[in-house]
């Protein structure tokens, strides 16, 4: 019974690691397909080849949109109260996009960030991080 449980747990952990790789691969392949379809469209000589190349391009663009959507859905949830977030640590690369940056820090009742830093919202909490390196300077945990 313990061997079976250990095997199942091991397989579950392995599948989690593989799933993150599997999500990144379709987007890369879809971008390559879009580039190839665009190249085929430029090289099309007859109206029929042009129609087929446009259809291929539309399908490749649809696949790319779906792959990007899958990647967005696969992003993990971050909680600033974990050991991952501490002074001197680094902000995960997923949280370094503009959608997480707090530009209106006054309305969030935060102090002005020093030059080269910005506030990043992580759930209900805020992290003051260096723009260039992602180095965490301060954490504000909301109740």
């Amino acid at each position: 019974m313990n061997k079976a449980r250990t095997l199942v747990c091991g397989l579950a952990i392995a599948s989690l690691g593989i799933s993150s790789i599997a999500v990144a691969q379709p987007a890369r392949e879809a971008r390559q397909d879009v580039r190839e379809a665009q190249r085929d469209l430029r090289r099309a000589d007859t109206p029929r080849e042009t129609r087929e190349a446009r259809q291929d391009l539309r399908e490749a663009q649809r696949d790319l949109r779906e792959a990007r959507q899958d990647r967005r859905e696969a992003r993990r949830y971050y909680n600033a109260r974990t050991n991952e977030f501490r002074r001197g640590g680094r902000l995960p690369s997923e949280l370094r996009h503009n959608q997480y940056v707090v530009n209106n820090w006054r309305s969030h009742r935060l102090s002005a960030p020093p030059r080269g830093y910005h506030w990043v919202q992580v759930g209900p909490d805020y992290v003051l991080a260096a723009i260039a390196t992602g180095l965490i300077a301060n954490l504000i945990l909301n109740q």
Side-chain angles (χ1 to χ4, degrees):
M1 184 68 174
N2 280 341
K3 289 182 181 180
R5 185 179 301 162
T6 304
L7 179 64
V8 169
C9 289
L11 289 173
I13 291 170
S15 68
L16 289 174
I18 293 171
S19 67
S20 64
I21 295 168
V23 170
Q25 193 64 24
R28 183 176 296 128
E29 291 172 358
R31 281 192 302 271
Q32 180 65 29
D33 290 344
V34 168
R35 284 191 293 270
E36 289 173 3
Q38 289 170 339
R39 186 184 63 235
D40 292 343
L41 182 60
R42 285 190 304 268
R43 293 180 179 172
D45 294 330
T46 65
R48 180 179 178 177
E49 288 177 355
T50 303
R51 278 193 308 274
E52 291 174 358
R54 283 187 182 143
Q55 179 64 28
D56 290 344
L57 179 59
R58 283 192 293 271
E59 290 174 6
Q61 288 171 337
R62 186 187 67 238
D63 291 343
L64 179 59
R65 281 192 303 272
E66 290 173 0
R68 286 179 176 161
Q69 181 65 30
D70 291 344
R71 190 175 67 201
R72 277 191 293 277
E73 291 171 359
R75 287 186 181 147
R76 76 179 247 222
Y77 173 75
Y78 286 98
N79 183 358
R81 296 161 199 247
T82 62
N83 292 336
E84 187 174 12
F85 291 87
R86 66 190 187 303
R87 281 186 183 179
R90 300 233 182 244
L91 196 64
S93 61
E94 291 88 1
L95 296 176
R96 292 171 133 201
H97 301 288
N98 285 337
Q99 67 190 31
Y100 300 107
V101 173
V102 178
N103 292 319
N104 54 347
W105 44 269
R106 282 190 185 105
S107 65
H108 291 267
R109 296 185 176 167
L110 299 169
S111 61
R115 174 174 277 170
Y117 288 82
H118 58 204
W119 287 104
V120 176
Q121 186 166 8
V122 182
D125 306 320
Y126 300 96
V127 177
L128 181 64
I131 296 171
T133 62
L135 190 68
I136 297 175
N138 198 4
L139 296 165
I140 296 182
L141 305 177
N142 285 334
Q143 269 51 16

